[in-house]
Amino acid sequence: SIIVVQLEEKKQALYDLVPQPAILQAQAILVFVGDHNRASKAAQLHGSDFDAKGTENLLISSVDASLAGQNALLAAESLGYGGVFIGMIRHKALAIAELFNLPDYTYPIFCIALGRPAQNHPVKPRLESEAIVFQEEYVEQGVEVIQAYDQVQTEYAGARQTETWSERMVAQFGQPEQPETKSILEKNKLL
């Protein structure tokens, strides 16, 4: 499910929880919600058992939301808008769920801040295709691929860069699991 947020006071409340400047600058925020609530209603309708718990159902709804988010951003860009994905809402999932009145069997995954871009930066360079597309089997690579990509990102970002790409990866994956994500999934009967 997608919640469209345009009211300034609602955007401010979201920003107070997740202080990302794009939230206040955006014309609209799209909040993407993993949603098994309708499935629970379908089970109720048919007098069937319902158990949304487990990684498979979480993966399904998270992938579906991600695909919808990417398609929404592509559609917005085709109309001259720009957008920023904000995944940090998961770190405040319980408060986000309350702010948007999320019922059982739902959880916030990410949001997209949409608006007319004030600046147009070139497209951010991605890893070379040889580093991510393999023929017939996975090909593990050494640190030289990471070092090369750090250099590409450094050249792209210039003075805007505060840390390398690999340093951001360490900061993201070098931390223990965010307890807020697990808390919302347990509270809303998904774990």
Side-chain angles (χ1 to χ4, degrees), residues 1 6 9 11-12 34 38 47 49 52 57 60 80 96 98 107 115 118 130 133 146 169 173-174:
S1 292
Q6 292 180 294
E9 54 271 12
K11 289 193 295 186
Q12 182 65 54
R38 282 184 296 275
D49 291 335
N57 288 329
I60 289 169
I96 299 285
E98 186 176 316
Y107 61 103
E130 294 81 18
V133 178
I146 305 302
M169 292 300 100
F173 294 105

Side-chain angles (χ1 to χ4, degrees), residues 112-123:
I112 302 175
L114 292 174
R116 295 271 182 202
Q119 310 171 1
N120 287 313
H121 294 288
V123 174

Side-chain angles (χ1 to χ4, degrees), residues 73-139:
L73 183 56
L74 288 170
E77 287 174 344
S78 77
L79 298 171
Y81 292 92
V84 176
F85 279 84
I86 301 172
M88 301 291 289
I89 68 170
R90 290 185 309 277
H91 297 185
K92 297 291 184 178
L94 292 167
I96 299 285
E98 186 176 316
L99 178 63
F100 294 111
N101 198 31
L102 297 184
D104 284 346
Y105 307 115
T106 64
Y107 61 103
I109 302 175
F110 62 88
C111 64
I112 302 175
L114 292 174
R116 295 271 182 202
Q119 310 171 1
N120 287 313
H121 294 288
V123 174
K124 182 174 155 182
R126 303 294 183 217
L127 278 162
E128 294 291 327
S129 62
E130 294 81 18
I132 58 174
V133 178
F134 312 118
Q135 299 299 317
E136 309 304 334
E137 60 184 34
Y138 189 92
V139 178

Side-chain angles (χ1 to χ4, degrees), residues 134-154:
F134 312 118
Q135 299 299 317
E136 309 304 334
E137 60 184 34
Y138 189 92
V139 178
E140 190 169 356
Q141 297 143 10
V143 296
E144 63 279 353
V145 171
I146 305 302
Q147 292 168 324
Y149 190 57
D150 274 348
Q151 184 60 41
V152 168
Q153 286 294 309
T154 297

